[in-house]
Amino acid sequence: MAIVKSSGDLLRLLTFLICLLHRCSAGYDVESVVRTQNLLSANLKLEGGTTEFGPDVKSLDLTASLETDSRLHVRITDADHPRWEVPQDIIPRPTLVSDDVLLGSPGMDNATLPSSATISKVSSDLTFSIHTKPFRFTVSRRSTGDILFDTSATLIFKDRYLEVTTALPAGRASLYGFGEHTKRTFRLQPNDTFTLWNEDLERSDQLDLNLYGSHPGYMDVRPGGNAHGVLLLNSNGMDILYGGSYVTYKVIGGVLDFYFFTGPSPLAVVDQYTQFIGRPAPMPYWSFGFHQCRYGYKNVADLEEVVAGYAKAKIPLEGIWSDIDYMDGGQDFTLDPINFPASRLRPFVDRLHSNGQKYVVIIDPEIKRQATPNEDFFLKRNGTNVVGRVWPGEVYFPDFINPRAVEYWAQKISKFRRTIPVDGLWCDMNEPSNFGAWQPLNALDDPPYHINNSGTHRPLNNQTVPVSTVHYNGVSEYDAHNLFGLFQARATHAALLKDTARRPFVLSRSTFPGAGRYAAHWTGDNSARWDELANSINTMLSFGLFGIPMVGADLCGFRGNTSQELCSRWIQLGAFYPFARAHTERTTE
């Protein structure tokens, strides 16, 4: 009888038993391996297979490379067909080239291959090992022998369903990360599912549901303090199951593109992670002060009264913000001609500036259908512009992958700032949000595996643009959905930098790894409750791990009536938020 010596052995035994019961895929075998000291490539051949969620890809390519002394890259993709990957201009990735030492060759019986092959070097604490029959791989810490990542043999790779599981040492792994979700604790709790699909959730104060950003990475802190990081660089929707002794990824497209960061301290992990995804943008000094906003300021006189009230009470106020109230019918780059005319708003902003204070306004990623230019740079579906419905009514959505849309956006921002010289821009609704759902057009709209969207397996098309939408160069929304907010934040950051020649301030609701290079983040539509105050701390800490340290929650709560005690305590806590803004909705008192 086999002796179970580790959680990895137990996981593989349980996986084998489950496979016997359910006749699951037998996974892949290694057909050939090519290796140097820092680079290993292998061809994987399907053994067995299932028809659930579609046919299996028969041949896979694996590449593992030590890109730096602190970073290991492991990529698995279809050997015969190109697949969607996060674009290089979002997160640039190096290509490693080495002189190859052949350990096997295509067509050679894999029984002649060694049972495993390893890459490591003296200057790195990471070791990668590939195990040949059946295929699995491990990542270990060379200095201690600790296993950091240990996959099961039941790799599943289909066109729109990928699954891989890694064992965790029972009682020794402490995980942090995987977002964006509202959590009761900073440390992740076992037996939880993390769905990653950027969503405008109507009640973001509910726990454990996918929210506005997708960050498929975690930090694991082991006993003694050694920490390492793991990132799955994939923008497709996914469910991640954390069972305490294992992590299972269930992804609906793209490739398995893993990055491992050796640490060994938590600070070193974050440093290595942001070195890869991009360092956080330097923020203007004024953005660290206290800000005031409300959805429901009726006119310029309201803004003047609020600023005067702060001055009378001798409370420092760095800036005041406007929600969509300032717009003409909810349209970007317009002013309500009655309540926020330029003749009143511009002198108010000039007075703010003379007092050393700032003014920030909201913008949404859509253009009213009747106000769109003749240029053709909007999202398409079935050959025509996608018609959504947001605050202005029927709208088109600029395609921020298209350079012409980026140029148009910059021109609109510059022209608007000639009228009202705003100091920053607040990108809301950029998942993107849409008021309604869509009927399926093709197979993308109804993938074979339904992620647990909104906790109810809600269709991907609900309250956003349909995933059968097509971007510039034929990119599908199915693949790029979780990147939309990052693309808009990047375009907005570039536009402000060009127009002001100063550090831009951009606040974005939707995020993805790398968004911190362009924008700050706030946690969306929270509620005026004590548990929301407490839970915000976990979110602040998580976004520090995600490389977006400029983060905050709506002080005192966006929804519902606050109390004097709750609001005062929340503002005290907010003094420790990197981004501190009081913001409430218009029906609150």
Side-chain angles (χ1 to χ4, degrees):
M1 182 177 178
I3 299 175
V4 176
K5 297 182 178 180
S6 68
S7 59
D9 293 336
L10 178 60
L11 176 63
R12 283 185 285 278
L13 177 60
L14 290 174
T15 301
F16 174 73
L17 294 174
I18 292 170
C19 284
L20 288 180
L21 291 172
H22 296 278
R23 299 181 182 177
C24 68
S25 170
Y28 291 80
D29 283 346
V30 177
E31 192 171 45
S32 65
V33 178
V34 174
R35 188 193 69 181
T36 66
Q37 182 181 13
N38 301 330
L39 178 66
L40 180 150
S41 60
N43 180 255
L44 312 181
K45 179 182 178 182
L46 180 69
E47 292 294 328
T50 67
T51 57
E52 186 180 21
F53 306 138
D56 295 87
V57 174
K58 295 181 179 179
S59 180
L60 300 176
D61 280 339
L62 177 147
T63 304
S65 57
L66 281 164
E67 295 183 340
T68 71
D69 285 348
S70 60
R71 184 174 76 234
L72 169 70
H73 179 199
V74 180
R75 175 177 174 270
I76 303 174
T77 188
D78 189 329
D80 301 315
H81 304 94
R83 294 178 62 85
W84 166 258
E85 300 183 48
V86 173
Q88 280 277 354
D89 66 328
I90 291 295
I91 299 178
R93 278 95 76 195
T95 301
L96 249 174
V97 179
S98 294
D99 295 330
D100 294 332
V101 177
L102 191 63
L103 297 184
S105 62
M108 180 184 290
D109 185 345
N110 65 4
T112 65
L113 289 173
S115 60
S116 65
T118 297
I119 56 170
S120 65
K121 59 181 180 178
V122 174
S123 58
S124 175
D125 207 19
L126 290 172
T127 297
F128 171 86
S129 298
I130 186 172
H131 307 271
T132 55
K133 188 175 184 179
F135 160 74
R136 64 183 183 90
F137 73 85
T138 57
V139 177
S140 59
R141 188 179 295 281
R142 189 171 56 84
S143 60
T144 64
D146 199 13
I147 303 297
L148 310 183
F149 205 79
D150 185 1
T151 66
S152 71
T154 53
L155 170 68
I156 300 174
F157 202 112
K158 301 170 184 287
D159 182 31
R160 285 183 291 150
Y161 183 74
L162 320 178
E163 182 180 322
V164 64
T165 295
T166 178
L168 295 170
R172 297 186 64 245
S174 296
L175 267 56
Y176 305 83
F178 289 147
E180 176 183 9
H181 302 78
T182 300
K183 294 293 182 184
R184 289 190 178 92
T185 61
F186 179 38
R187 179 181 175 181
L188 304 184
Q189 300 303 303
N191 303 316
D192 199 359
T193 297
F194 300 84
T195 298
L196 302 189
W197 182 256
N198 294 0
E199 178 83 337
D200 179 8
L201 192 65
E202 294 177 0
R203 290 180 52 81
S204 66
D205 52 318
Q206 293 187 49
L207 294 170
D208 306 326
L209 303 183
N210 53 301
L211 293 174
Y212 315 108
S214 290
H215 295 271
Y218 69 85
M219 178 189 293
D220 184 353
V221 183
R222 300 283 172 89
N226 277 350
H228 67 275
V230 179
L231 169 68
L232 173 58
L233 186 60
N234 184 299
S235 63
N236 290 85
M238 68 182 77
D239 286 334
I240 303 173
L241 285 62
Y242 171 45
S245 61
Y246 66 90
V247 174
T248 295
Y249 300 85
K250 298 184 175 186
V251 192
I252 61 172
V255 302
L256 295 174
D257 204 12
F258 285 102
Y259 289 83
F260 301 90
F261 307 92
T262 188
S265 69
L267 182 60
V269 172
V270 175
D271 178 55
Q272 294 153 12
Y273 178 70
T274 56
Q275 182 183 41
F276 173 63
I277 66 167
R279 302 296 194 190
M283 292 288 157
Y285 183 70
W286 60 265
S287 66
F288 292 95
F290 182 78
H291 305 265
Q292 175 62 46
C293 185
R294 179 178 173 85
Y295 174 32
Y297 289 139
K298 297 181 180 64
N299 48 42
V300 176
D302 266 5
L303 300 179
E304 293 171 333
E305 183 179 350
V306 170
V307 173
Y310 271 89
K312 183 177 180 180
K314 298 183 179 180
I315 300 173
L317 179 66
E318 199 68 37
I320 190 163
W321 297 44
S322 284
D323 208 309
I324 63 172
D325 313 284
Y326 80 93
M327 298 177 178
D328 183 10
Q331 299 180 68
D332 283 347
F333 311 117
T334 65
L335 298 175
D336 182 326
I338 305 300
N339 298 308
F340 291 86
S343 60
R344 286 288 306 276
L345 187 58
R346 176 61 185 261
F348 167 73
V349 173
D350 289 343
R351 288 193 296 274
L352 287 176
H353 290 164
S354 67
N355 291 332
Q357 295 170 304
K358 308 298 179 183
Y359 184 55
V360 180
V361 298
I362 198 171
I363 54 174
D364 295 329
E366 73 278 330
I367 303 297
K368 188 173 182 178
R369 188 177 183 182
Q370 290 82 359
T372 53
N374 293 327
E375 295 184 77
D376 190 17
F377 45 68
F378 297 99
L379 298 183
K380 297 283 190 294
R381 193 187 195 216
N382 205 21
T384 60
N385 289 345
V386 173
V387 181
R389 180 169 292 276
V390 196
W391 304 118
E394 290 190 341
V395 298
Y396 292 155
F397 297 88
D399 177 8
F400 291 103
I401 299 179
N402 190 322
R404 288 185 295 156
V406 172
E407 182 181 357
Y408 164 80
W409 195 249
Q411 291 171 352
K412 296 295 288 186
I413 288 172
S414 181
K415 183 177 179 181
F416 182 73
R417 291 194 73 257
R418 302 286 76 76
T419 304
I420 304 297
V422 297
D423 301 284
L425 290 171
W426 166 20
C427 297
D428 194 17
M429 311 285 284
N430 58 345
E431 291 71 38
S433 181
N434 174 68
F435 302 156
W438 310 81
Q439 292 300 314
L441 175 68
N442 57 37
L444 291 179
D445 292 315
D446 187 23
Y449 175 77
H450 293 173
I451 61 174
N452 194 25
N453 189 21
S454 298
T456 60
H457 299 278
R458 190 161 82 168
L460 301 180
N461 287 347
N462 279 38
Q463 291 195 227
T464 187
V465 298
V467 295
S468 51
T469 292
V470 178
H471 291 257
Y472 182 69
N473 279 344
V475 173
S476 73
E477 177 70 5
Y478 183 89
D479 292 323
H481 172 82
N482 288 338
L483 297 172
F484 188 96
L486 189 158
F487 278 117
Q488 190 209 10
R490 183 176 69 171
T492 306
H493 182 276
L496 284 174
L497 181 61
K498 180 179 180 181
D499 199 57
T500 67
R502 295 189 172 196
R503 289 181 181 180
F505 179 76
V506 179
L507 185 71
S508 179
R509 191 169 75 173
S510 180
T511 60
F512 187 81
R517 285 187 292 165
Y518 312 108
H521 174 66
W522 93 108
T523 63
D525 297 345
N526 61 3
S527 295
R529 299 201 320 258
W530 288 98
D531 62 320
E532 281 284 274
L533 178 153
N535 293 337
S536 72
I537 298 172
N538 305 318
T539 304
M540 303 300 111
L541 296 172
S542 293
F543 269 87
L545 299 182
F546 300 153
I548 309 178
M550 190 61 167
V551 60
D554 285 345
L555 303 181
C556 304
F558 179 72
R559 290 194 178 97
N561 295 327
T562 191
S563 65
Q564 183 174 343
E565 176 71 7
L566 173 60
C567 194
S568 64
R569 294 300 185 188
W570 211 326
I571 289 175
Q572 288 174 330
L573 172 64
F576 295 92
Y577 288 170
F579 172 63
R581 181 189 66 167
H583 181 43
T584 57
E585 61 107 346
R586 56 185 173 182
T587 64
T588 59
E589 298 177 359

